[in-house]
Amino acid sequence: MDDADSIDLSDNDEFMLDVEITAANVQDAINMALADDDNSNSNLTTNVDLPQLSDELINFDGNKFGEELLFKIDNDNIEKILYQHWKTFVPQCYIYHTNLIKGIIEQRTQEILFRPLDIYLYGTLNTDDAIQIIRSYNKKSTVCGHLFKSEEPTYFCRDCCVDPTCVLCTDCFLQSEHRKHRYKMNVSAGGGYCDCGDPEAWKQNVHCNLHLPHDDNNESADDILNRLPSDLRLRAKNLFNILLRFIIKLLCTGNYQDIPNELKNEYWDGDHKNYVTILFNDEVHTYDQVIHVLSRAIQCTKQEGHELASLVDREGRTAIRIGTTEQCRDVQQTIRIRTADVPLKCEIYPNSFISLQYFAQKLLTYLQNIIELSDGFRRIFCECEIECDDELDDITRTEKALLSEKMLWKSARSALHQIFINSFFMDSEWKKTFAILYMKNYSTVWRNFVKDPDEYVSFTDLSVQVYTVPTLCYPMIIRHYRTDFSFLYRADCFLRLSVQLFTTNSLAKYLISSHNAFQTIVDSFLEYCQSKLDHGKLLFSRTTNASLQHEFRRAQSILYDLKYLLGVVPQEYTVELRENFLNGFRVFLQLLSYMHGMDKVARQVGQHVEFDPEWETAFNLVIKIQSIISSILDWCAQDKELLLGAYEATGLALAEIQKTSDISHLIKDKNNSSIVKTTVNDLKVDCYAYDVAKDPISVHIPVVRLFVGKILIKERKTKN
Ligand SMILES: [Zn+2]
Ligand SMILES: [Zn+2]
Ligand SMILES: [Zn+2]
């Protein structure tokens, strides 16, 4: 229980004030904040003062309000009452600290905002006991699903893992047989989860001792749900629906006027001093550039500029000015003018809107803690996630979130990402449901990711620029590739869910055979490649345009998805699986044809070549495609029918390439005297006389290589 006299600050260190404040010494804190302001002559710190807690905030009784909610018979009204409550209190509870570099602080949020929700959900003031009882309904979990934080250790077993993405958390590993096997330790980049208990991830020793299966294992999902009392289920469903609807409305919008009018307070439109200029993250500008621009726009010191830039880097956005519309617009204009080449993204909102959005983010964490309590809650929550709100044109809330990615910022995106994992991914049926929604929207999500880079990545540091200079040599590319560079681009994007979905063997097969996933992925990439075509071949030119360079790297990361999807070779093939694999394979051949014969060079004599043509991009592409090709060959080696289909398609592609190839430079005269007769393997053939010292050659002949690979498999098959 909360001490009613204390001011509740976030449990999140990042937003905590240095001093612990109670109602008794709140004035001291304000004085201190003011004193801070006096010391520095910066505009930054004098924008707004930490307001004295209003009587309204101090006297609010969360228990009383919670009980009021609970005893409302008519459930329909609860959303209205909550909206009214949030409209009044959220903008007071979440405010920017006087000193903007300290970000948003929280005042009595537990008592005012969350306690009433708890009381409503659990149906009692004694929520602690209720939680104990709800926990006791759970059966012991047979899967772990622990979410990895960045830099947390993970364990991979060479003997038992189905593929290298299957990992254990430390707790599970220490309690498993794998500690006696040939294991490898790794450090997580964050966002993945422990695979303990997933039969598709392990060849043997699926469960650790903590997650051993038990006797009543054949209990159905309905049984899990039915163990919760029916009134609790009803309230949970109602509350989750209200909260999710609110969260999606607030987070997935680019326009603050779009949110329901019931949530807009008096500081929304018109004249007031409570507007805020928000600076967003991007991948193009360096810290130094941002700090420099900030020092001009808001006259802050270098140190303050650095603090603000780090805050933006961590959260994805932050406030840099609070004041009237004019004051905020001035700052915005200065920033836009000073970064005219690629403007830093910077928007003006009413401060209350930012508070509501911040609250929506906090609600996601709140919901996550609730669904972790009970399998039943988790199931109800999943149901709410795939519901449609009328105004969303028939798409589910989950899809709405996936498609709104470009409007989200780092911390909001990662909060949604976590809740997807914690809800859908903990149950194979729901995971499948999510996978279908994901696949349905894959191309759009991917296109947004490639084309709208505003906020996916942090301000670049210098090492990125170093890697992209033209003097790059081959060993460096290899090293570069090994560190999975382009993969880093996905660190904060929904697309990193791909690895969780596509490496689940049965799901991958299902997505290929029933949702044509192979073709969808390649199609997306092909569509992107259209703009890079020159006479039917991919052509990359040197560019110093950083955002273009980043764009193609992001685009290439789609090839990882393909690698995951085809990573595990199926044991059985169905008609649909073969058919859709071949569909995907045919478009993949199209991609190879675009690469076949690209970057042709003729030997130069007599003059020094001053500028190397761009060759690194093609090389990077080939390296990535290599592992996909070997997966494709593995798939074909398992199934004769598939092999024949793929063999034929490759042959046709090769014939097409031959037909459309430009060979004019080889025809030396009209009598075709450049044709020579030769014998290969007792086979007489006509071919063009080709002088490698004079004629242009290309090292990229992927279709021929693929064809040879197929022939080898075919020979092996017929021998057996
Ligand atoms: Zn675990
Ligand atoms: Zn375990
Ligand atoms: Zn093992």
Side-chain angles (χ1 to χ4, degrees):
M1 296 285 278
D2 237 355
D3 180 357
D5 279 330
S6 71
I7 299 163
D8 201 77
L9 291 167
S10 155
D11 52 1
N12 183 346
D13 278 343
E14 287 166 20
F15 293 106
M16 212 142 87
L17 288 168
D18 302 337
V19 206
E20 196 177 311
I21 306 180
T22 64
N25 65 7
V26 73
Q27 197 54 48
D28 289 352
I30 292 171
N31 291 342
M32 270 170 56
L34 288 175
D36 273 354
D37 289 352
D38 293 340
N39 289 342
S40 65
N41 292 323
S42 144
N43 261 354
L44 192 73
T45 47
T46 51
N47 280 334
V48 65
D49 294 334
L50 192 65
Q52 192 155 6
L53 282 184
S54 65
D55 288 346
E56 203 180 10
L57 280 190
I58 294 174
N59 296 328
F60 187 85
D61 184 348
N63 286 346
K64 196 168 144 241
F65 182 62
E67 281 188 312
E68 274 171 40
L69 285 181
L70 189 56
F71 296 119
K72 283 276 177 294
I73 312 293
D74 184 3
N75 267 348
D76 293 344
N77 267 330
I78 290 191
E79 183 164 39
K80 219 181 238 168
I81 297 168
L82 281 176
Y83 276 19
Q84 179 62 39
H85 177 61
W86 293 339
K87 167 180 152 183
T88 314
F89 286 100
V90 170
Q92 298 185 61
C93 290
Y94 294 104
I95 55 166
Y96 274 102
H97 188 269
T98 328
N99 190 345
L100 287 179
I101 60 174
K102 296 196 174 175
I104 290 177
I105 56 164
E106 311 188 3
Q107 311 193 91
R108 275 177 65 84
T109 51
Q110 179 56 37
E111 172 75 15
I112 297 175
L113 300 175
F114 294 106
R115 174 79 182 147
L117 300 182
D118 279 344
I119 294 169
Y120 173 73
L121 175 63
Y122 301 118
T124 166
L125 285 179
N126 195 349
T127 50
D128 289 348
D129 285 356
I131 290 173
Q132 284 310 319
I133 295 169
I134 289 169
R135 269 189 209 278
S136 72
Y137 294 142
N138 283 332
K139 59 174 184 176
K140 211 179 89 202
S141 177
T142 57
V143 293
C144 174
H146 169 80
L147 263 178
F148 294 120
K149 294 181 195 66
S150 167
E151 292 183 21
E152 195 175 329
T154 64
Y155 299 84
F156 159 73
C157 179
R158 288 174 213 269
D159 299 327
C160 315
C161 286
V162 171
D163 72 71
T165 64
C166 304
V167 285
L168 285 180
C169 68
T170 310
D171 288 346
C172 290
F173 174 73
L174 292 176
Q175 290 292 324
S176 73
E177 287 301 304
H178 307 294
R179 69 182 188 279
K180 299 171 198 153
H181 301 171
R182 293 182 305 141
Y183 66 85
K184 204 175 122 194
M185 211 179 136
N186 232 324
V187 175
S188 171
Y193 63 90
C194 174
D195 290 301
C196 180
D198 178 357
E200 292 200 32
W202 308 92
K203 292 178 206 145
Q204 54 194 353
N205 303 115
V206 174
H207 302 273
C208 76
N209 292 333
L210 298 173
H211 299 109
L212 279 180
H214 25 81
D215 311 331
D216 56 347
N217 216 14
N218 41 18
E219 192 179 35
S220 78
D222 281 335
D223 297 337
I224 299 172
L225 203 57
N226 287 334
R227 247 176 301 156
L228 296 180
S230 63
D231 60 322
L232 178 67
R233 265 183 281 156
L234 254 175
R235 285 195 309 270
K237 178 122 198 174
N238 193 33
L239 183 67
F240 294 167
N241 265 325
I242 293 174
L243 297 186
L244 264 177
R245 192 153 46 221
F246 172 79
I247 290 166
I248 296 295
K249 268 180 192 161
L250 261 294
L251 295 185
C252 303
T253 177
N255 181 355
Y256 63 84
Q257 296 294 15
D258 283 350
I259 74 157
N261 288 329
E262 300 96 292
L263 286 165
K264 299 177 182 170
N265 67 3
E266 67 269 33
Y267 296 114
W268 207 265
D269 307 290
D271 253 357
H272 60 78
K273 288 193 202 158
N274 221 351
Y275 286 99
V276 49
T277 310
I278 299 280
L279 177 68
F280 289 82
N281 203 354
D282 79 7
E283 61 173 352
V284 177
H285 297 91
T286 63
Y287 259 76
D288 281 347
Q289 286 168 327
V290 176
I291 293 165
H292 181 71
V293 172
L294 282 177
S295 71
R296 293 303 176 101
I298 54 170
Q299 289 84 44
C300 64
T301 64
K302 209 173 165 186
Q303 180 58 31
E304 286 163 336
H306 192 271
E307 301 263 3
L308 285 173
S310 326
L311 200 56
V312 173
D313 196 11
R314 198 169 61 227
E315 291 292 309
R317 66 174 201 183
T318 197
I320 51 170
R321 180 80 164 103
I322 295 176
T324 63
T325 344
E326 289 73 31
Q327 291 170 323
C328 288
R329 189 147 298 140
D330 278 350
V331 171
Q332 186 190 36
Q333 288 304 339
T334 317
I335 287 184
R336 286 193 177 158
I337 291 166
R338 299 231 159 232
T339 54
D341 299 349
V342 190
L344 265 169
K345 187 176 171 194
C346 166
E347 302 288 342
I348 297 165
Y349 300 109
N351 206 348
S352 313
F353 176 65
I354 299 296
S355 301
L356 285 167
Q357 285 196 320
Y358 194 77
F359 175 53
Q361 259 177 271
K362 290 285 160 187
L363 279 177
L364 280 172
T365 319
Y366 171 77
L367 283 168
Q368 192 162 319
N369 291 332
I370 288 177
I371 59 178
E372 272 172 7
L373 285 181
S374 143
D375 302 332
F377 279 166
R378 173 170 288 138
R379 214 184 116 105
I380 296 173
F381 186 75
C382 289
E383 284 167 9
C384 295
E385 279 180 302
I386 57 159
E387 244 168 71
C388 308
D389 295 320
D390 314 345
E391 65 263 52
L392 299 182
D393 338 305
D394 265 358
I395 58 171
T396 62
R397 290 172 184 151
T398 299
E399 290 172 279
K400 175 81 179 163
L402 287 175
L403 294 175
S404 307
E405 183 155 40
K406 60 180 164 183
M407 295 165 197
L408 298 168
W409 54 100
K410 208 168 184 173
S411 54
R413 198 179 293 126
S414 108
L416 281 166
H417 177 267
Q418 288 207 359
I419 204 133
F420 286 154
I421 292 212
N422 261 327
S423 52
F424 291 125
F425 284 62
M426 295 300 119
D427 175 301
S428 58
E429 272 310 300
W430 281 108
K431 191 169 169 182
K432 189 166 165 185
T433 307
F434 179 80
I436 295 169
L437 293 177
Y438 183 76
M439 215 52 235
K440 192 173 137 202
N441 296 285
Y442 181 87
S443 339
T444 320
V445 173
W446 182 75
R447 216 175 301 130
N448 289 343
F449 164 69
V450 173
K451 282 291 180 188
D452 295 295
D454 289 346
E455 312 142 33
Y456 291 113
V457 206
S458 314
F459 295 131
T460 52
D461 61 38
L462 281 174
S463 67
V464 177
Q465 326 282 355
V466 170
Y467 278 129
T468 51
V469 294
T471 48
L472 209 69
C473 53
Y474 179 66
M476 196 153 167
I477 297 177
I478 295 290
R479 213 181 317 138
H480 190 154
Y481 171 72
R482 287 227 184 94
T483 54
D484 251 8
F485 192 64
S486 58
F487 200 71
L488 289 180
Y489 279 86
R490 296 185 152 198
D492 288 302
C493 159
F494 286 139
L495 277 178
R496 69 185 157 148
L497 291 167
S498 289
V499 58
Q500 323 284 6
L501 296 172
F502 296 162
T503 53
T504 308
N505 190 6
S506 63
L507 256 189
K509 263 192 299 182
Y510 170 76
L511 288 174
I512 294 176
S513 65
S514 304
H515 294 271
N516 209 1
F518 188 4
Q519 184 175 355
T520 308
I521 294 178
V522 186
D523 268 343
S524 308
F525 192 58
L526 274 190
E527 187 195 306
Y528 175 78
C529 286
Q530 296 305 319
S531 63
K532 310 268 171 211
L533 285 184
D534 177 69
H535 293 94
K537 301 291 166 201
L538 286 175
L539 181 76
F540 306 100
S541 44
R542 289 227 183 278
T543 172
T544 46
N545 179 337
S547 60
L548 262 184
Q549 289 174 350
H550 291 300
E551 185 186 295
F552 193 66
R553 278 209 201 95
R554 274 196 308 275
Q556 281 183 69
S557 71
I558 202 172
L559 297 172
Y560 287 104
D561 288 355
L562 209 50
K563 189 171 122 188
Y564 294 137
L565 190 71
L566 303 176
V568 181
V569 180
Q571 298 306 312
E572 292 153 39
Y573 291 73
T574 60
V575 180
E576 293 82 29
L577 184 61
R578 266 187 217 112
E579 201 173 293
N580 276 328
F581 181 89
L582 283 175
N583 283 338
F585 179 69
R586 280 188 205 102
V587 279
F588 183 72
L589 273 173
Q590 184 63 52
L591 172 65
L592 293 188
S593 306
Y594 287 161
M595 297 167 63
H596 198 93
M598 69 189 291
D599 283 0
K600 277 202 180 90
V601 279
R603 182 168 168 248
Q604 298 284 315
V605 282
Q607 206 174 15
H608 177 66
V609 180
E610 275 188 54
F611 295 101
D612 262 348
E614 216 278 0
W615 55 272
E616 300 91 326
T617 313
F619 236 100
N620 271 318
L621 201 58
V622 169
I623 292 171
K624 289 199 185 72
I625 277 187
Q626 212 55 54
S627 61
I628 297 170
I629 290 185
S630 40
S631 293
I632 289 179
L633 291 176
D634 289 344
W635 276 64
C636 294
Q638 283 294 321
D639 185 73
K640 199 172 164 205
E641 214 170 304
L642 189 69
L643 175 66
L644 289 178
Y647 181 72
E648 194 189 338
T650 317
L652 286 175
L654 206 54
E656 185 64 26
I657 286 175
Q658 221 151 27
K659 216 163 58 190
T660 54
S661 289
D662 177 18
I663 47 161
S664 52
H665 57 278
L666 292 175
I667 303 170
K668 304 280 152 55
D669 55 61
K670 281 176 191 151
N671 305 331
N672 266 352
S673 64
S674 54
I675 291 209
V676 289
K677 292 196 183 305
T678 183
T679 313
V680 181
N681 220 0
D682 294 334
L683 201 69
K684 287 203 170 73
V685 284
D686 290 347
C687 62
Y688 290 108
Y690 203 93
D691 188 352
V692 288
K694 285 188 197 134
D695 296 319
I697 44 171
S698 165
V699 289
H700 303 298
I701 45 168
V703 183
V704 172
R705 288 181 196 276
L706 180 62
F707 198 55
V708 172
K710 300 252 141 117
I711 292 174
L712 287 177
I713 297 174
K714 223 170 129 245
E715 298 239 301
R716 227 184 301 140
K717 283 229 156 207
T718 32
K719 255 182 216 156
N720 292 345

